[in-house]
Amino acid sequence: MLKTSIAAIAVGLGLGLVAAGAATAAPDQVTVATGALKGVVNGDVVAFKGIPYAAPPVGELRWRAPRPAAPWTGVRDAANFGASCMQIGGPLSAGVDATSEDCLTLNVWAPAHPAAKKLPVMVWIHGGGFVGGSGSVPLYDGAHFARDGVIMVSLNYRLGRLGYFAHPALTREGAGPLGNYWLMDQIAALKWVQANIAAFGGDPRNVTIFGESAGGVSVNVLLTSPAATGLFAKVICESGFPRNDMPPIARVEQADAAYAKTLGITGDDAAALTALRALPAETLVSFSGGATTPGALDDAARPQPMIDGTLIVERVDDAFRRGHQARIPYMIGGNSWEAGRVANPDAVLSQAGPDRAKTLALFGDGDPLKAAYNYVTDSGATEPDRYVVREDAKVGVPAYLYYFSYVPAAYRQVVPGAAHASEILYVFDNASPVPVHLGSTSIVLPAATPEDFAIAKAMHAYWVAFAKTGKPDSAGGPPWAAYNVETDNLVEFGADGVNVRYHLKQARMDLLGAKAEEAAAKR
């Protein structure tokens, strides 16, 4: 039986029995609740990498809520990233190096010279379809945030069936929250930030969480989860698809029990659970039936947030509809080509309704492929983003809406719009020749142009201003006002620069919004 002392739990969760040390005179050394760390100074930025925020989730700790990280003696070397979490590989793992089931670490970038007052903190949650990605991907280097007076944190969380799993044997074991182990990891990392970030010069009362794709979904879930209350002060969601469905845990349990049977594991007793925990991690991240991508699975078997009744109690859009979201400053937006590749435009357009001619005209100017791209993008991202800021505005919460349509000049004749995830290098102000995931292909952008740098400077400045003050308009450039239902305003980052737009795609938005609300009424 696993035993953990009350004192160790208090240290890991930041309950105050052991306080994190203050920043030392040496910029590359800090002391956190579990011990001393030595980072690496690079000019005006110091980075601390591979910091354990929880115990390795291996052996008997597989499919359990994260336990406290063990304290260490001496000074721990924090010069290198920890291992990324086990994953399937492929485009969703671009930039990921060594992987391991022992992966619950985070990274901190800070100014090398202490500030006169505590600095705002940004915590980045990576994307990757809940099956890939890592906080150590080069694109997520936080140096530019640190240079602009923000402490930036990136983290790893369990992926695939190691992070999303339900089974009758786990339910019978009854060892705490079930199913959403990825979310438990993220909450544990945020608790670590609350307990320890002051040691790096950060203000635990001014934490902004931000993420893209699966990371965007994550921040929306955290915004609406009762378990995350008080762990952050602001939220930025990039391509977070707030109308996504979430299966109930009972349905996932059935699917995962069926998966276990394909591996010869049946029953719901302790023996079955022991057998499941003994499976190689590589087996669990490869999915079932030889499938290597989440799209090859049905919804119940695909790793994704599930409604477990404790951590996640409702869909994100339902939470906003009922007024259950945290009432804190919120920025959200998506890209102009979220659809990626569409293999069968007719199958997509059939979802829009029986009036094909109207759909073609409204979404694609008569072009079926263009219409399919726009329908997938607008129904999955653009309209849901508008919906949640409208709900925030109705209850007086400051919400800010953006639309990213910028494509580097070299690719404007190649792709139909700004692909999913293509905004990230601009947000991080890392507009240089780096691998970028565009649609279904990873490419290397050419050397950045003055136009690219201008968009990167603008986006990064707005994100930094929001983290500091809760208002992006203090970044300079076009004023970015909170969303207003009457003016239907947003900021577009496009080929013509940064501009305020009103009633963008209103006919499409109204049509899709009415359709979504009709579906919600039937749930």
Side-chain angles (χ1 to χ4, degrees), residues 454-499:
I455 291 292
K457 180 180 179 181
M459 290 195 81
H460 182 73
Y462 281 121
W463 265 238
V464 167
F466 183 81
K468 290 181 176 180
T469 70
K471 297 180 179 180
D473 62 353
S474 59
W480 187 349
Y483 182 84
N484 181 286
V485 173
E486 298 300 322
T487 60
D488 192 20
N489 56 300
L490 57 76
V491 164
E492 179 175 7
F493 300 91
D496 58 347
V498 184
N499 291 280

Side-chain angles (χ1 to χ4, degrees), residues 203-218:
D203 183 355
R205 298 169 299 177
N206 189 10
V207 174
T208 300
I209 58 171
F210 70 132
E212 181 274 336
S213 191
V217 174
S218 295

Side-chain angles (χ1 to χ4, degrees), residues 6 8 27 36 39 67 75 139 183 202 204 218 262 297 304 314 348 361 383 390 408 431 450 462 503 518 522:
I6 297 298
R67 300 297 176 89
V75 179
L139 191 60
L183 182 58
S218 295
T262 69
L297 301 172
Q304 62 178 317
E314 58 195 333
V348 170
E383 187 283 324
R390 288 170 80 86
Y462 281 121
H503 305 292
E518 181 181 349
K522 296 177 181 178

Side-chain angles (χ1 to χ4, degrees), residues 96-482:
V96 174
D97 293 321
T99 62
S100 171
E101 194 172 359
D102 175 4
C103 63
L104 299 186
T105 60
L106 51 74
N107 318 291
V108 180
W109 287 264
H113 305 290
K117 61 181 181 180
K118 294 298 183 183
L119 298 176
V121 180
M122 297 185 76
V123 179
W124 172 253
I125 303 177
H126 70 77
F130 296 115
V131 295
S134 172
S136 62
V137 169
L139 191 60
Y140 309 150
D141 185 281
H144 284 99
F145 282 108
R147 291 191 181 101
D148 288 329
V150 174
I151 308 292
M152 206 209 89
V153 179
S154 69
L155 60 98
N156 295 340
Y157 56 94
R158 281 173 279 184
L159 303 168
R161 281 201 171 95
L162 293 169
Y164 310 75
F165 192 72
H167 190 277
L170 283 166
T171 303
R172 185 173 180 178
E173 182 185 47
L178 299 170
N180 292 300
Y181 302 100
W182 63 279
L183 182 58
M184 300 176 211
D185 293 344
Q186 293 176 10
I187 290 173
L190 290 171
K191 288 181 177 179
W192 185 96
V193 168
Q194 287 296 309
N196 294 287
I197 205 63
F200 301 86
D203 183 355
R205 298 169 299 177
N206 189 10
V207 174
T208 300
I209 58 171
F210 70 132
E212 181 274 336
S213 191
V217 174
S218 295
V219 299
N220 277 336
V221 169
L222 287 162
L223 184 71
T224 57
S225 172
T229 300
L231 295 179
F232 46 88
K234 298 181 289 293
V235 172
I236 301 175
C237 174
E238 302 170 28
S239 302
F241 312 110
R243 287 199 191 272
N244 269 11
D245 195 12
M246 298 180 188
I249 191 169
R251 187 152 61 91
V252 180
E253 187 178 86
Q254 292 175 354
D256 285 343
Y259 163 74
K261 288 180 180 178
T262 69
L263 302 175
I265 300 173
T266 60
D268 62 357
D269 56 8
L273 190 51
T274 297
L276 285 165
R277 287 192 168 124
L279 288 170
E282 293 81 0
T283 299
L284 291 162
V285 298
S286 66
F287 300 115
S288 59
T292 57
T293 61
L297 301 172
D298 62 51
D299 282 345
R302 177 166 54 90
Q304 62 178 317
M306 66 186 84
I307 296 177
D308 62 70
T310 301
L311 303 178
I312 303 179
V313 298
E314 58 195 333
R315 288 169 46 135
V316 168
D317 56 340
D318 287 341
F320 275 84
R321 182 176 297 104
R322 297 162 183 160
H324 295 168
Q325 76 276 25
R327 305 295 177 90
I328 57 178
Y330 182 47
M331 181 196 295
I332 187 171
N335 299 355
S336 61
W337 182 39
E338 295 281 7
R341 302 295 178 184
V342 172
N344 188 342
D346 288 335
V348 170
L349 297 178
S350 66
Q351 303 171 20
D355 193 338
R356 179 181 175 85
K358 179 181 178 181
T359 301
L360 285 173
L362 184 59
F363 289 91
D365 301 320
D367 181 338
L369 183 58
K370 180 179 179 181
Y373 281 149
N374 287 334
Y375 185 81
V376 171
T377 294
D378 290 342
S379 62
T382 319
E383 187 283 324
D385 292 346
R386 188 186 78 150
Y387 169 73
V388 290
V389 295
R390 288 170 80 86
E391 293 303 304
D392 259 354
K394 290 175 183 177
V395 295
V397 176
Y400 300 86
L401 182 61
Y402 77 86
Y403 183 71
F404 183 80
S405 62
Y406 182 78
V407 177
Y411 289 95
R412 287 175 192 163
Q413 303 304 313
V414 180
V415 295
H420 184 64
S422 61
E423 87 289 350
I424 298 174
L425 78 165
Y426 302 99
V427 167
F428 279 76
D429 197 11
N430 288 330
S432 57
V434 293
V436 178
H437 182 57
L438 293 179
S440 60
T441 307
S442 290
I443 66 171
V444 176
L445 292 177
T449 65
E451 188 181 34
D452 298 332
F453 282 121
I455 291 292
K457 180 180 179 181
M459 290 195 81
H460 182 73
Y462 281 121
W463 265 238
V464 167
F466 183 81
K468 290 181 176 180
T469 70
K471 297 180 179 180
D473 62 353
S474 59
W480 187 349

